Amino acid sequence: MPKLRQNIITGDYVVIAPERAKRPEDFIAERPKAKKTKIDCPFCPGGKGLKEVIKDAGTSRIAVIPNRFPAFVLSEQIIEEGGRFYSSGKAFGGHEVIIIKDHHEDIFDLSAGVATDLWQVFQERYCFYRQMPEIEYIMGIYNYQVEAGASVEHPHAQLFASSVMPSYIQKELKGSLEYFLHKGQCVFCQILEEEKGDGRRMVTENNDFLAFNFFASRVPFEIWIVPKDHRSDFFHLDSATIQSLAEIFRKVMERLDQKLKNPPFNFYLHTLPAKKDHSGQHYHWHLEILPRLSRLGAYELGSGIYIDVVSPEMCARFLR
Ligand SMILES: [Zn+2]
Ligand SMILES: [Zn+2]
Ligand SMILES: [Zn+2]
């Protein structure tokens, strides 16, 4: 029987319909880690992308550059468009590419140093945009492989800073606030309790973080990494916690690669909005990792209800 599950934070529904597919093993495929020559790579030394390095990001292993085809730009570059019916405004903000310099670094097997640097650079760039009064939200993301929207093979993350609040974040903020007002507790902290107690969706953990398959997963193997202590804001992590984040991230990546063989994936970081008027009592930052092993269909697009063909419990058992 297909089961309806609800995201306890946003209220969104998913259908877990395992009998439509398959076992977790069915998602293992031949996906070789292609490594092209460095000559035509825009992000390798001498490549055209690297000509506009914003800063060396305080580490010799990572470079930050403006995206050549940005979604958000600083105001002076914006051409205004009129219109009395449709609303249209400036796509103000920033869009950066965070490049791991070594083309041959494998995202599933990053060294502890590179993984720590990556999260540190995310944090630095968050801090940079956070000072701008126009910026509402900053999101660090990663697209891996074509199926997940990556157009360049060279390992790279991205950062989006926008003057609008993404609607998904708005839903999380609203839902977690409602939960807090009713129950007096942070819903994310409660999720941690539940996952630790239940155990069926647990993937791995360390001192500071829990990694588990999300109860209302939208796609097979959707994994959330959540800090165990109540922390609303990714900006305030100290360097020891950043190291710990790098450690659990490496564990999860290693597990995904071992079990699913080089799967395409997206991840994004959800944290408290940049502006100071957001309270952190009810919100708890986290990382959502979505392997892209199944494609979105019309129903998902038309309804916002995702159909997941493998139960999160089965995925977690397979990954453990
Ligand atoms: Zn390269
Ligand atoms: Zn919390
Ligand atoms: Zn989230």
Side-chain angles (χ1 to χ4, degrees), residues 16 39 50 52 92 97 111 126 159 173 193-194 198 232-233 295:
I16 310 286
I39 298 155
L50 280 181
E52 323 164 69
F92 179 87
V97 187
S111 68
Y126 267 77
L159 189 102
L173 286 167
E193 284 283 299
E194 178 66 22
D198 185 303
S232 55
D233 206 333
R295 287 175 192 258

Side-chain angles (χ1 to χ4, degrees), residues 234-254:
F234 172 73
F235 307 108
H236 299 313
L237 290 200
D238 55 31
S239 57
T241 316
I242 290 268
Q243 251 176 41
S244 186
L245 171 61
E247 184 198 47
I248 190 121
F249 175 72
R250 288 173 68 228
K251 273 189 180 181
V252 168
M253 286 291 119
E254 190 191 6

Side-chain angles (χ1 to χ4, degrees), residues 38 41 43-44 103 154:
K38 289 179 171 187
C41 177
F43 297 161
C44 271
H103 186 106
H154 190 113

